[in-house]
Every structure is written in C-alpha cells, then in structure tokens.
Amino acid sequence: MKRNNYQGALQYPIGSGFNAASTSRDVIQGIDLTGKIAIVTGGNTGIGLETTKTLAEAGATVIVPARDVEKAKRNLNGVANIEIEAMDLMDPASIDAFAEKFILSGRPLHLLINNAGIMWVPLRWDSRGIESQLATNYLAQFQLTARLWTALKQANGARVVNVSSGGHQFSDFNFEDPNFKKREYETLLGYGQSKTAVNLFSLELAGRAKPFNVNAYSLCPGAVGDTELAREAPNDLFQKLGYTDIEGNLLPEVAKLLKTIPQGAATTIWCATSPLLNALSGVYCNNVEVSSLDTDVSSIGGVKPYSLDRDSAKRLWSVTEELTGITFNLK
C-alpha cells in the first residue's frame, strides 16, 4: 500500500529523542553533509542564518539567495562554504533568474530549504495582484521548487523543507478570495492562509515527488525571539494579542516561552537531515518531532486537519499553477 500523509495518516510522534529545547547543534551532531549542496532562502537573518551556519559547519555547500546581497555578505562574513546570490521572492522574474543560474551550473540540489517569510504586514499586492504574504510565504516556494526540480531529481535523495507556522491555525485557504479583493483584510488571516498553503503544498509535493526519491516536509519553528519577522507589526497588535504591555514591552510570561534562534532552527535541521524521516515524506513537524493531528479547532497546537486535506491539496496545486502561470509537472 502506498504510504502518504493525506488526512494526516502519518501524523504521529515517532520518538525523535529531541524536544522544544533542543538546538540546531544538538540535532546536527554526528551528521556529515560533505559534498551536499543546499539552498536556504532567508538564509542570512534569524533562524535562516542559524540554519545556514549549521549546514555549512556540517560540510554542506550552502547557497543563500538574498534580496539585499550586501546585507547578506555582512551577516555571513567569515562563514565557510557559502555562496550568496541575488533573489527577491516578491519578483517572479528574480526567482526564475536565480534558479536558471543554478540549473546551468549542472549541480545536484540535495536540500532546498524554503525558509524566508513575512508576517504582520499591511495589505499589499504584487505586480500580479497577489497579496504579499501569499506571494512571499507560499507562491515563491512553489515557483522556486518547480524551477529547481531537475536539480532536486539529480540529487537522488533530495529533501524540500518548507518552513510553515503554527499560525496556519488562523485560517484555512480561502479559494474564493485568496488575495483579499472582496473581503476585508486582516493580516493574521493572510498569514494563516499562506501557511496553510505551505502545508498543503508540502503534502501534495511529497506524493508527486516520491517516485523521484525526493521527500518534502513542512514545519513550525515555534515562537522565536530576536528575529526580523515582526519588523512591520504595529505595537497595538501585540498588545491586543496579549504579548506586550501598553508601552510595548514584552510581558515576562511571554518572553520565557520564546525559543532562542538555535532552538528555532532545530526542527528545520531535523527535517533536512534526520534518517528517521526517510519513510515519512509529507509530514508536518514541530519541536523536533512529527506533530500530532489536532482536530480541536478551538485549541492551539499540533497541525490542523484542513491543512492536510487531500482534496484541498490537489485543488491548491491547480490554483497555484493558474496564479503563477507555472505548470509544475513532475517528470
């Protein structure tokens, strides 16, 4: 019987030996990535930077596409095994140019880590009329993966690791109005549906890529302090969510729950490297473990069934091809 994760069929903890306090260095111990090639989007800040450093220190050659190349050079100064290239996830032509350059190099791609994302931003549309969180957090992942597909196949054992979020619980994917052209915009709804899309994409990619020995995973890094994700968020939003006081100071009870950046990168590293996941393509992970399926829509935690739904995953693939103009036929 063919194993897949539709409807969360594989969503059970497997005893990874790690937990929420584990760091990227804990996870990478004993793993040698010499000769492997990785691409990490957003790999020069936050948990992406930690991911890049961890993979590079384990021997991988890590390519970091960045919108601000000079900033990336500064942040990655002194890190060995690094290549920096230009790419803007809000610019489809930029994604194509980056991918084409890599494909023309003739190299296999062993790890594609779609880490970059945005959150808590005001309503913006890109040149195609696509809402910015959907464009950056999901459609760019789809496009980049599609354009790099031949290199992923060439690796004969590649993994695509898509950074999602527990924020997928904020919203299912709205097929009727994904770009907020008719409904009122709420930034957390936009974020939520973009991350649900990441989960559905990873689920469907896992099934389609299986014959080519390519695995796919989605994950929640957890609530991580000291990243740039909230740089555009208004202070009153955090106050409404109960994260800060009236002066914008983070509440102590919230601060103690935040992960460090090395802890936030740990699940990404685990999904990228752990042999325990070889037969579990398509699962959603959190706290360096396969997450449980959470059927209680009122609770926070686990992975919501709607983001692992077979019919929604297949429908989203078709809708995404229409939105991007990219036909992603795996062959």
Side-chain angles (χ1 to χ4, degrees), residues 129-331:
I130 295 170
E131 189 271 323
S132 65
Q133 293 183 98
L134 182 61
T136 304
N137 296 346
Y138 167 57
L139 294 182
Q141 288 189 1
F142 182 94
Q143 180 178 350
L144 186 59
T145 306
R147 298 309 196 204
L148 292 169
W149 176 243
T150 56
L152 289 164
K153 283 194 305 179
Q154 185 183 340
N156 190 28
R159 291 189 180 188
V160 179
V161 179
N162 296 322
V163 176
S164 181
S165 169
H168 75 272
Q169 68 190 320
F170 296 145
S171 178
D172 196 350
F173 191 84
N174 189 309
F175 286 99
E176 282 64 50
D177 186 22
N179 294 306
F180 293 89
K181 296 297 179 69
K182 301 174 184 176
R183 56 185 170 136
E184 183 179 355
Y185 179 72
E186 292 185 29
T187 188
L188 290 181
L189 287 182
Y191 182 75
Q193 80 155 359
S194 74
K195 294 302 186 177
T196 290
V198 170
N199 295 352
L200 291 169
F201 169 52
S202 305
L203 176 71
E204 186 63 18
L205 177 64
R208 297 186 185 213
K210 195 176 187 69
F212 305 98
N213 199 20
V214 177
N215 282 5
Y217 309 95
S218 58
L219 69 101
C220 170
V224 184
D226 297 322
T227 74
E228 296 183 3
L229 190 60
R231 58 185 175 270
E232 289 194 73
N235 288 332
D236 64 340
L237 178 57
F238 293 117
Q239 187 181 342
K240 289 176 184 176
L241 291 170
Y243 296 164
T244 63
D245 61 22
I246 194 169
E247 295 177 347
N249 301 308
L250 194 65
L251 298 176
E253 60 268 30
V254 174
K256 71 180 183 180
L257 296 176
L258 295 178
K259 290 185 177 184
T260 65
I261 286 176
Q263 290 171 337
T267 305
T268 300
I269 296 297
W270 188 66
C271 288
T273 62
S274 176
L276 295 176
L277 293 173
N278 285 344
L280 293 174
S281 186
V283 294
Y284 172 95
C285 301
N286 186 21
N287 293 331
V288 203
E289 180 59 275
V290 177
S291 297
S292 299
L293 192 66
D294 188 353
T295 57
D296 183 355
V297 295
S298 66
S299 70
I300 298 174
V303 57
K304 300 302 180 186
Y306 58 70
S307 76
L308 297 175
D309 181 75
R310 177 184 182 276
D311 292 341
S312 293
K314 293 186 178 299
R315 182 181 180 187
L316 179 64
W317 193 284
S318 297
V319 168
T320 305
E321 290 186 328
E322 294 173 7
L323 289 173
T324 61
I326 297 169
T327 301
F328 189 3
N329 286 331
L330 283 68
K331 58 183 180 179

